[in-house]
């Protein structure tokens, strides 16, 4: 152990006449700990929300969507086969996309109608996991009639979201009319096309936007209803690496030429992902100010310590201590304060962040106030995810800020002249 480190540790121990400095030291340490703890908790919650949102986006949508610029894809079986040969592509499925209206009794709602192949869609999206009633396999059940030609169950299947079902006041087994504005041309003009469907399933993705605006039918039914026999709107792809979709998209656009274009999930949700990332960076900067304020406390502590220990500094210099050694003593003392605060803040932050859902539940039970309403935020749990790199970044940032705060008061201490210190002794 160097004598500079030994002296800096000795200065941390309070004497009766320097108790006030020790109080300021404790406050500075607590300030650093509070800032570090707040950063870890807030970033963990924001990362949890971001990952939860990504899971829901990727659960309903494909990783990559391939469309045609000039209309529907007619030779889609050939395109699907070609796309499945790309490196990194796990599965592919065709789909149809169109805006329609749903009516049930007196309730009407505009939705997005998707025609899917249930068998291949299971390999691309997680819609089958989001089913709370029924199954997507029920879309393929063929309408049947009895022997007397009276319709027994002649309506094709339809799957809708939970919020949409509540809005239309329907449940599994009820009839819904699907109305397309792109109807048939008659002598009286364009007449909207309408067809009856039976609700065979209800899904709940946890995202209000999806659960209130999406409806699914089988691919053949969508082709017949929308007059798209033998063609589809596009192809959905699932890949191994969800963060490596950019290279695959570039390769597809290059190989298929101008007629086709591919988009990945990050491009389709660019606005919301950018907003989350920006908010996370801004919160990091704002909360870092807490550590910065605590750093001023460290600087104040060192200034007061230098004023009190000017006689000790003069004695050390008289005994041969260099300016560098004196500066090192006070830099180490400031770093010890910052390190203690950082370690305390990291430990407290990790304990709270890793058990945040339990803590929120306990607070809600004790206060009776709903801090986290699952029906409002559409989350089945309080998301909190600790990322090791974030913790390291926070800890290093706190140490660096503490180090910078020690430089000026330590430099002032090193410039103290022994003769000036002993003049009034």
């Amino acid at each position: 152990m160097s004598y500079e480190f030994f002296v800096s540790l000795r200065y941390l121990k309070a004497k009766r006449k320097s108790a006030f400095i020790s109080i300021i030291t404790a406050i500075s340490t607590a300030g650093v700990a509070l800032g570090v703890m707040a950063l870890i908790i807030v970033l963990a919650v924001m990362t949890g929300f971001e990952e939860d949102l990504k899971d829901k986006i990727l659960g309903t949508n494909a990783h990559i969507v391939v469309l045609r610029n000039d209309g529907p894809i007619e030779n889609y079986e050939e395109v699907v086969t070609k796309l499945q040969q790309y490196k990194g592509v796990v599965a592919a499925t065709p789909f149809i996309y169109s805006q329609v209206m749903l009516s049930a009794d007196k309730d009407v709602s505009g939705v997005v109608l998707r025609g899917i192949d249930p068998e291949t869609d299971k390999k691309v999206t997680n819609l089958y996991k989001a089913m709370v009633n029924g199954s997507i396999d029920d879309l393929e059940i063929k309408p049947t009639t009895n022997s007397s030609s009276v319709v027994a169950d002649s309506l094709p299947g339809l799957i809708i979201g939970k919020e949409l079902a509540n809005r239309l006041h329907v449940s599994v087994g009820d009839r819904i009319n699907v109305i397309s504005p792109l109807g048939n041309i008659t002598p009286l003009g364009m007449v909207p096309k309408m067809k009856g469907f039976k609700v065979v399933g209800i899904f709940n993705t946890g995202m209000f936007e999806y659960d209130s605006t999406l409806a699914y039918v089988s691919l053949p039914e969508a082709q017949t209803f929308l007059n798209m026999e033998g063609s589809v709107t596009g192809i959905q792809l699932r890949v191994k690496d969800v963060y490596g979709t950019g290279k695959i998209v570039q390769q597809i656009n290059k190989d298929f030429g101008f007629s086709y274009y591919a988009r990945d999930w990050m491009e389709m949700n660019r606005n919301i992902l950018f907003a989350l990332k920006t908010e996370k960076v801004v919160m990091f900067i704002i909360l870092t100010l807490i550590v910065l304020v605590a750093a001023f406390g460290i600087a104040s502590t060192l200034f007061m310590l230098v004023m009190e220990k000017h006689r000790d500094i003069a004695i050390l210099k008289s005994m041969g201590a260099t300016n560098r050694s004196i500066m090192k003593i006070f830099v180490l003392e400031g770093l010890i304060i910052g390190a203690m605060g950082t370690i305390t803040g990291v430990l407290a932050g990790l304990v709270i962040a890793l058990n945040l859902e339990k803590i929120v539940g306990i607070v809600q039970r004790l206060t009776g106030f709903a801090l986290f309403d699952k029906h409002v935020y559409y989350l089945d749990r309080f998301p909190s995810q600790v990322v090791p790199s974030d913790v390291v970044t926070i800890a290093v940032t706190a140490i660096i800020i503490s180090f910078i705060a020690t430089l000026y008061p330590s430099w002032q201490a090193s410039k103290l002249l022994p003769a000036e210190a002993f003049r009034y002794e």
Side-chain angles (χ1 to χ4, degrees), residues 133-183:
N133 201 340
S135 170
I136 65 173
D137 294 328
D138 296 335
L139 292 177
E140 294 186 325
I141 297 178
K142 302 297 181 181
T144 59
T145 59
N146 60 17
S147 57
S148 60
S149 299
V150 178
V151 175
D153 192 11
S154 59
L155 298 178
L158 176 78
I159 294 176
I160 60 177
K162 181 180 178 181
E163 297 297 331
L164 183 58
N166 293 335
R167 183 186 303 172
L168 297 176
H169 302 96
V170 297
S171 58
V172 173
D174 293 341
R175 175 192 173 105
I176 288 183
N177 293 320
V178 179
I179 305 170
S180 173
L182 303 177

Side-chain angles (χ1 to χ4, degrees), residues 4 9 18 37 42-43 52 66 78 134 241 279 297 320 404 423:
E4 294 97 338
L9 288 177
S18 59
M37 181 184 70
V42 171
L43 291 187
D52 188 82
V66 180
E78 180 183 342
D241 182 13
E279 186 177 3
I404 294 175
R423 175 176 296 178

Side-chain angles (χ1 to χ4, degrees), residues 179-423:
I179 305 170
S180 173
L182 303 177
N184 300 318
I185 300 178
T186 68
L188 300 178
M190 180 72 72
V191 177
K193 188 175 183 179
M194 183 175 69
K195 185 175 182 179
F197 286 80
K198 184 182 73 171
V199 179
V200 296
I202 295 175
F203 64 87
N204 180 22
T205 64
M207 288 193 68
F208 181 82
E209 181 182 357
Y210 296 154
D211 295 340
S212 61
T213 60
L214 291 180
Y216 293 86
V217 297
S218 66
L219 190 64
E221 289 293 340
Q223 289 174 328
T224 302
F225 180 70
L226 299 172
N227 299 321
M228 295 179 61
E229 286 83 357
S231 62
V232 297
T233 303
I235 312 295
Q236 298 185 107
L237 304 179
R238 185 180 185 89
V239 300
K240 293 180 179 179
D241 182 13
V242 295
Y243 296 103
T245 54
K247 294 181 180 179
I248 300 177
V249 166
Q250 291 179 359
Q251 191 62 42
I252 291 174
N253 289 330
K254 179 180 178 181
D255 295 343
F256 279 76
F258 179 75
S259 299
Y260 292 84
Y261 68 96
R263 301 173 65 191
D264 64 354
W265 66 277
M266 286 185 284
E267 182 180 358
M268 291 185 288
N269 299 277
R270 179 185 303 172
N271 291 339
I272 189 169
L273 294 177
F274 177 77
L276 287 172
K277 184 176 181 180
T278 303
E279 186 177 3
K280 187 175 180 180
V281 173
V282 171
M283 289 302 297
F284 179 84
I285 295 173
I286 293 174
L287 293 175
T288 303
L289 295 178
I290 300 177
V291 181
L292 191 60
V293 171
F296 282 104
I298 296 176
S300 301
T301 302
L302 293 180
F303 274 121
M304 295 181 67
L305 191 63
V306 169
M307 294 174 62
E308 182 188 352
K309 303 295 184 181
H310 66 279
R311 186 172 182 273
D312 294 357
I313 296 172
I315 293 174
L316 287 172
K317 281 197 167 186
S318 300
M319 296 175 63
T322 62
N323 290 348
R324 182 177 180 181
S325 297
I326 299 300
M327 186 174 180
K328 186 177 180 181
I329 290 173
F330 291 96
V331 167
L332 286 174
E333 181 161 358
L335 283 177
I336 292 172
I337 296 173
M340 289 191 301
T342 301
I343 294 172
T344 304
V346 168
L347 294 177
L350 290 177
V351 170
I352 296 175
L354 294 175
N355 300 277
L356 195 56
E357 188 172 5
K358 296 179 181 178
I359 295 174
V360 170
I362 293 173
V363 173
Q364 289 183 151
R365 286 194 299 270
L366 293 176
T367 62
F369 181 74
L371 298 176
F372 176 73
D373 192 345
K374 297 180 180 180
H375 299 288
V376 174
Y377 297 99
Y378 292 93
L379 296 170
D380 54 359
R381 62 183 180 84
F382 194 91
S384 178
Q385 182 174 341
V386 177
V387 179
S389 59
D390 287 347
V391 177
V392 173
T393 301
I394 293 169
V396 171
T397 301
I399 295 296
I400 291 175
I401 292 176
S402 300
F403 171 73
I404 294 175
T406 66
L407 295 179
Y408 185 71
S410 300
W411 179 76
Q412 287 288 348
S414 67
K415 295 300 180 180
L416 184 66
L417 298 176
E420 292 293 333
F422 287 127
R423 175 176 296 178

